[in-house]
Amino acid sequence: MIKTVWALCLVAVMSGFASASLAAETRLFSNEFGEVEVPVAPRCVVSLHDFSLTTQLLELGIVPCGSSGRRRLFEDTFYRGAAQRYDTSFIRYIGTHQAPDLETIAAAKPDLIVGLSYHAALREKLSAIAPVVLLPVREKGIVAYAGELADLVGKTPRYEELRGEYEAIVTDFRRRVDKPETITETPMEIYRDGFRIIGRGGMEQVIADFGLGHVPAYENSSENIPYSLERLSDFDSDVIIDTYEEMLGEEAETRAFRSTAQWQNMFAVRNRQFLYFNRSRYGETMEGLIGSATLLFSHIGEREILIQNRN
């Protein structure tokens, strides 16, 4: 019975989508994930990833009609990266980014759905609701994917402004900091009993664009591998960067880890060169890149940094 109702609803949505498609002007959009006929001026965009796509849409001036997010019992939906920056009250919660709810998405009546490469498994089902475009956030980085997203929703001029601002910061940093490759950086994400090598908010891209260096262990690491406390000294860098999500209570959860002798003995910690950023303000977006670059510039390019003796 439930399957029958869902099928009827999907047919109704598809019929409405077909009628709307006849009236709306469309064009072909293509990237490495395929070619899709999309509306020239989408009126209702559903985002399958809040931290990367929803926040970038908001930065471009597009309010999604639906988005993945995080929801706790008796609490409002939390859209990572957009919290405390934008009014998200008009966005419909469509489930988590790992498991979006197709019925809720269909009820929003979108004319465009945007996701990441790992949403390819859902593409066929979602395409029965609206055109689906996947973007290369992980594959190509923030600057490339943000440019594609801006093109998709007709906001390329705004994207070019943001890209110009970011590139100006990179140029100023390289002009001010001599031999940046001699300064080692390790972006990481700390958990209760371990850590991963990962830089939120595009921090890894900023580090690369600034030309900063890494310790040997970083070059052989993987962001998908959890490391134990015993491996921490392998990543002893001049500067260490971690991020936290204030609304999720992550800072309190990692307090025990940051109280250990291994952590306190790190060069960056001993010399107050451990940087701790709120990633709600610096998502995987162009403004996130700009914010991360500005912070790193101020901490490295505008003050004296201590460098370990590696002889």
Side-chain angles (χ1 to χ4, degrees), residues 238-270:
D238 300 326
V239 179
I240 293 176
I241 303 169
D242 188 17
T243 61
Y244 64 94
E245 196 74 78
E246 186 175 16
M247 297 183 71
L248 298 180
E250 292 179 347
E251 186 173 5
E253 290 181 0
T254 62
R255 190 169 293 128
F257 184 99
R258 290 181 286 110
S259 298
T260 63
Q262 292 95 322
W263 174 258
Q264 294 294 325
N265 195 46
M266 297 287 279
F267 180 88
V269 177
R270 287 188 285 109

Short mmCIF file of all heavy atoms in Angstrom, two decimals, residues 238-270:
data_model
loop_
_atom_site.label_atom_id
_atom_site.label_comp_id
_atom_site.label_asym_id
_atom_site.label_seq_id
_atom_site.Cartn_x
_atom_site.Cartn_y
_atom_site.Cartn_z
N ASP A 238 55.33 23.16 12.58
CA ASP A 238 55.48 24.52 13.11
C ASP A 238 54.12 25.10 13.49
O ASP A 238 53.99 25.81 14.48
CB ASP A 238 56.15 25.42 12.07
CG ASP A 238 57.53 24.93 11.67
OD1 ASP A 238 58.22 24.37 12.54
OD2 ASP A 238 57.90 25.11 10.50
N VAL A 239 53.12 24.80 12.67
CA VAL A 239 51.76 25.29 12.91
C VAL A 239 50.80 24.12 12.76
O VAL A 239 50.90 23.33 11.82
CB VAL A 239 51.38 26.40 11.91
CG1 VAL A 239 49.96 26.88 12.14
CG2 VAL A 239 52.36 27.57 12.01
N ILE A 240 49.86 23.99 13.69
CA ILE A 240 48.80 22.97 13.61
C ILE A 240 47.46 23.69 13.61
O ILE A 240 47.24 24.66 14.34
CB ILE A 240 48.88 22.00 14.80
CG1 ILE A 240 50.16 21.15 14.70
CG2 ILE A 240 47.66 21.08 14.83
CD1 ILE A 240 50.36 20.22 15.88
N ILE A 241 46.56 23.21 12.76
CA ILE A 241 45.24 23.83 12.62
C ILE A 241 44.16 22.78 12.85
O ILE A 241 44.19 21.70 12.27
CB ILE A 241 45.07 24.43 11.22
CG1 ILE A 241 46.17 25.44 10.92
CG2 ILE A 241 43.70 25.09 11.08
CD1 ILE A 241 46.22 25.87 9.47
N ASP A 242 43.21 23.11 13.71
CA ASP A 242 42.03 22.27 13.91
C ASP A 242 40.80 23.17 13.83
O ASP A 242 40.90 24.40 13.97
CB ASP A 242 42.09 21.57 15.27
CG ASP A 242 40.99 20.53 15.44
OD1 ASP A 242 40.38 20.13 14.43
OD2 ASP A 242 40.73 20.13 16.59
N THR A 243 39.66 22.57 13.57
CA THR A 243 38.41 23.33 13.53
C THR A 243 37.39 22.67 14.45
O THR A 243 37.51 21.49 14.78
CB THR A 243 37.84 23.39 12.10
OG1 THR A 243 37.56 22.06 11.64
CG2 THR A 243 38.81 24.06 11.15
N TYR A 244 36.39 23.43 14.84
CA TYR A 244 35.34 22.90 15.70
C TYR A 244 33.99 23.42 15.24
O TYR A 244 33.89 24.45 14.57
CB TYR A 244 35.58 23.29 17.16
CG TYR A 244 35.52 24.77 17.43
CD1 TYR A 244 34.33 25.38 17.86
CD2 TYR A 244 36.64 25.58 17.25
CE1 TYR A 244 34.27 26.75 18.09
CE2 TYR A 244 36.58 26.95 17.48
CZ TYR A 244 35.40 27.53 17.90
OH TYR A 244 35.33 28.88 18.12
N GLU A 245 32.96 22.68 15.57
CA GLU A 245 31.59 23.08 15.30
C GLU A 245 30.95 23.41 16.64
O GLU A 245 30.60 22.52 17.40
CB GLU A 245 30.83 21.96 14.59
CG GLU A 245 29.55 22.38 13.93
CD GLU A 245 29.80 23.19 12.66
OE1 GLU A 245 30.12 22.62 11.62
OE2 GLU A 245 29.67 24.44 12.76
N GLU A 246 30.83 24.68 16.94
CA GLU A 246 30.41 25.12 18.27
C GLU A 246 29.05 24.56 18.66
O GLU A 246 28.84 24.13 19.80
CB GLU A 246 30.38 26.64 18.31
CG GLU A 246 30.09 27.22 19.69
CD GLU A 246 30.20 28.73 19.69
OE1 GLU A 246 30.19 29.34 18.61
OE2 GLU A 246 30.28 29.29 20.79
N MET A 247 28.11 24.52 17.72
CA MET A 247 26.75 24.08 18.03
C MET A 247 26.65 22.58 18.26
O MET A 247 25.64 22.08 18.73
CB MET A 247 25.80 24.51 16.92
CG MET A 247 25.70 26.02 16.76
SD MET A 247 24.51 26.54 15.52
CE MET A 247 22.96 26.14 16.37
N LEU A 248 27.70 21.84 17.92
CA LEU A 248 27.70 20.39 18.13
C LEU A 248 28.51 19.98 19.36
O LEU A 248 28.66 18.81 19.66
CB LEU A 248 28.25 19.67 16.89
CG LEU A 248 27.44 19.86 15.61
CD1 LEU A 248 28.09 19.10 14.46
CD2 LEU A 248 25.99 19.42 15.78
N GLY A 249 29.06 20.95 20.08
CA GLY A 249 29.77 20.66 21.32
C GLY A 249 31.08 19.92 21.13
O GLY A 249 31.55 19.22 22.03
N GLU A 250 31.73 20.08 19.97
CA GLU A 250 32.94 19.31 19.69
C GLU A 250 34.13 19.76 20.53
O GLU A 250 34.99 18.95 20.86
CB GLU A 250 33.28 19.41 18.20
CG GLU A 250 32.28 18.70 17.32
CD GLU A 250 32.61 18.84 15.84
OE1 GLU A 250 33.46 19.69 15.49
OE2 GLU A 250 32.01 18.11 15.04
N GLU A 251 34.18 21.02 20.89
CA GLU A 251 35.31 21.50 21.68
C GLU A 251 35.37 20.80 23.03
O GLU A 251 36.44 20.38 23.49
CB GLU A 251 35.21 23.01 21.86
CG GLU A 251 36.44 23.62 22.54
CD GLU A 251 36.38 25.14 22.54
OE1 GLU A 251 35.36 25.72 22.12
OE2 GLU A 251 37.38 25.75 22.97
N ALA A 252 34.23 20.65 23.67
CA ALA A 252 34.19 19.98 24.97
C ALA A 252 34.55 18.50 24.83
O ALA A 252 35.23 17.92 25.69
CB ALA A 252 32.80 20.12 25.58
N GLU A 253 34.14 17.88 23.73
CA GLU A 253 34.40 16.45 23.53
C GLU A 253 35.88 16.15 23.35
O GLU A 253 36.33 15.05 23.63
CB GLU A 253 33.62 15.94 22.32
CG GLU A 253 32.11 15.87 22.55
CD GLU A 253 31.38 15.33 21.34
OE1 GLU A 253 32.06 15.01 20.33
OE2 GLU A 253 30.15 15.20 21.39
N THR A 254 36.65 17.11 22.86
CA THR A 254 38.07 16.87 22.59
C THR A 254 38.99 17.43 23.68
O THR A 254 40.20 17.38 23.54
CB THR A 254 38.48 17.50 21.24
OG1 THR A 254 38.28 18.92 21.30
CG2 THR A 254 37.64 16.91 20.11
N ARG A 255 38.40 17.93 24.74
CA ARG A 255 39.22 18.55 25.80
C ARG A 255 40.20 17.56 26.41
O ARG A 255 41.35 17.90 26.70
CB ARG A 255 38.31 19.15 26.86
CG ARG A 255 39.05 20.03 27.88
CD ARG A 255 38.08 20.81 28.75
NE ARG A 255 37.35 21.81 27.98
CZ ARG A 255 36.02 21.93 27.96
NH1 ARG A 255 35.27 21.09 28.66
NH2 ARG A 255 35.45 22.88 27.24
N ALA A 256 39.77 16.31 26.60
CA ALA A 256 40.64 15.31 27.20
C ALA A 256 41.85 15.02 26.31
O ALA A 256 42.98 14.89 26.79
CB ALA A 256 39.86 14.02 27.45
N PHE A 257 41.61 14.95 25.00
CA PHE A 257 42.70 14.70 24.06
C PHE A 257 43.72 15.83 24.15
O PHE A 257 44.94 15.60 24.19
CB PHE A 257 42.14 14.60 22.64
CG PHE A 257 43.17 14.26 21.59
CD1 PHE A 257 43.32 12.96 21.13
CD2 PHE A 257 44.00 15.25 21.05
CE1 PHE A 257 44.26 12.65 20.16
CE2 PHE A 257 44.94 14.95 20.08
CZ PHE A 257 45.07 13.64 19.64
N ARG A 258 43.23 17.07 24.18
CA ARG A 258 44.12 18.23 24.20
C ARG A 258 44.77 18.46 25.56
O ARG A 258 45.58 19.37 25.71
CB ARG A 258 43.34 19.46 23.73
CG ARG A 258 43.00 19.41 22.24
CD ARG A 258 42.26 20.62 21.73
NE ARG A 258 40.86 20.63 22.17
CZ ARG A 258 40.36 21.46 23.04
NH1 ARG A 258 41.14 22.36 23.62
NH2 ARG A 258 39.09 21.41 23.38
N SER A 259 44.42 17.63 26.53
CA SER A 259 45.04 17.72 27.85
C SER A 259 46.17 16.70 28.02
O SER A 259 46.87 16.72 29.04
CB SER A 259 43.99 17.49 28.95
OG SER A 259 42.98 18.47 28.90
N THR A 260 46.35 15.82 27.05
CA THR A 260 47.37 14.78 27.16
C THR A 260 48.78 15.35 27.04
O THR A 260 48.99 16.41 26.44
CB THR A 260 47.18 13.71 26.07
OG1 THR A 260 47.36 14.33 24.78
CG2 THR A 260 45.81 13.08 26.16
N ALA A 261 49.75 14.63 27.57
CA ALA A 261 51.15 15.06 27.49
C ALA A 261 51.62 15.07 26.04
O ALA A 261 52.41 15.95 25.64
CB ALA A 261 52.03 14.12 28.31
N GLN A 262 51.15 14.13 25.24
CA GLN A 262 51.56 14.08 23.83
C GLN A 262 51.15 15.35 23.10
O GLN A 262 51.93 15.90 22.32
CB GLN A 262 50.95 12.86 23.14
CG GLN A 262 51.49 11.53 23.63
CD GLN A 262 50.61 10.91 24.70
OE1 GLN A 262 50.07 11.64 25.55
NE2 GLN A 262 50.45 9.61 24.66
N TRP A 263 49.94 15.81 23.36
CA TRP A 263 49.46 17.02 22.70
C TRP A 263 50.17 18.26 23.24
O TRP A 263 50.63 19.11 22.48
CB TRP A 263 47.95 17.15 22.89
CG TRP A 263 47.38 18.44 22.36
CD1 TRP A 263 47.01 19.54 23.06
CD2 TRP A 263 47.15 18.76 20.98
NE1 TRP A 263 46.56 20.53 22.22
CE2 TRP A 263 46.62 20.07 20.93
CE3 TRP A 263 47.33 18.06 19.78
CZ2 TRP A 263 46.29 20.70 19.74
CZ3 TRP A 263 46.99 18.68 18.59
CH2 TRP A 263 46.48 19.99 18.58
N GLN A 264 50.30 18.34 24.53
CA GLN A 264 50.93 19.51 25.15
C GLN A 264 52.40 19.64 24.76
O GLN A 264 52.96 20.74 24.80
CB GLN A 264 50.81 19.42 26.68
CG GLN A 264 49.39 19.52 27.19
CD GLN A 264 48.78 20.89 26.92
OE1 GLN A 264 49.47 21.91 26.96
NE2 GLN A 264 47.48 20.92 26.65
N ASN A 265 53.02 18.53 24.34
CA ASN A 265 54.44 18.56 23.98
C ASN A 265 54.66 18.91 22.52
O ASN A 265 55.81 19.08 22.09
CB ASN A 265 55.09 17.19 24.27
CG ASN A 265 56.60 17.26 24.27
OD1 ASN A 265 57.19 18.17 24.87
ND2 ASN A 265 57.24 16.31 23.60
N MET A 266 53.60 19.07 21.74
CA MET A 266 53.76 19.44 20.33
C MET A 266 54.36 20.84 20.21
O MET A 266 54.00 21.76 20.97
CB MET A 266 52.41 19.38 19.63
CG MET A 266 51.77 18.00 19.59
SD MET A 266 52.59 16.88 18.44
CE MET A 266 51.84 17.41 16.90
N PHE A 267 55.27 21.02 19.25
CA PHE A 267 55.94 22.30 19.06
C PHE A 267 54.95 23.45 18.90
O PHE A 267 55.09 24.51 19.53
CB PHE A 267 56.85 22.22 17.82
CG PHE A 267 57.59 23.49 17.52
CD1 PHE A 267 58.83 23.74 18.09
CD2 PHE A 267 57.05 24.45 16.66
CE1 PHE A 267 59.52 24.92 17.82
CE2 PHE A 267 57.73 25.63 16.38
CZ PHE A 267 58.97 25.87 16.97
N ALA A 268 53.93 23.25 18.07
CA ALA A 268 52.95 24.31 17.82
C ALA A 268 52.17 24.66 19.07
O ALA A 268 51.82 25.82 19.30
CB ALA A 268 52.00 23.87 16.70
N VAL A 269 51.88 23.66 19.90
CA VAL A 269 51.12 23.90 21.13
C VAL A 269 51.99 24.64 22.14
O VAL A 269 51.56 25.61 22.76
CB VAL A 269 50.60 22.57 21.71
CG1 VAL A 269 49.88 22.81 23.03
CG2 VAL A 269 49.67 21.88 20.72
N ARG A 270 53.24 24.19 22.30
CA ARG A 270 54.14 24.83 23.26
C ARG A 270 54.44 26.28 22.90
O ARG A 270 54.66 27.12 23.77
CB ARG A 270 55.46 24.04 23.34
CG ARG A 270 55.35 22.71 24.07
CD ARG A 270 56.71 22.06 24.28
NE ARG A 270 57.24 21.46 23.06
CZ ARG A 270 58.26 21.94 22.37
NH1 ARG A 270 58.86 23.05 22.77
NH2 ARG A 270 58.69 21.33 21.29
#
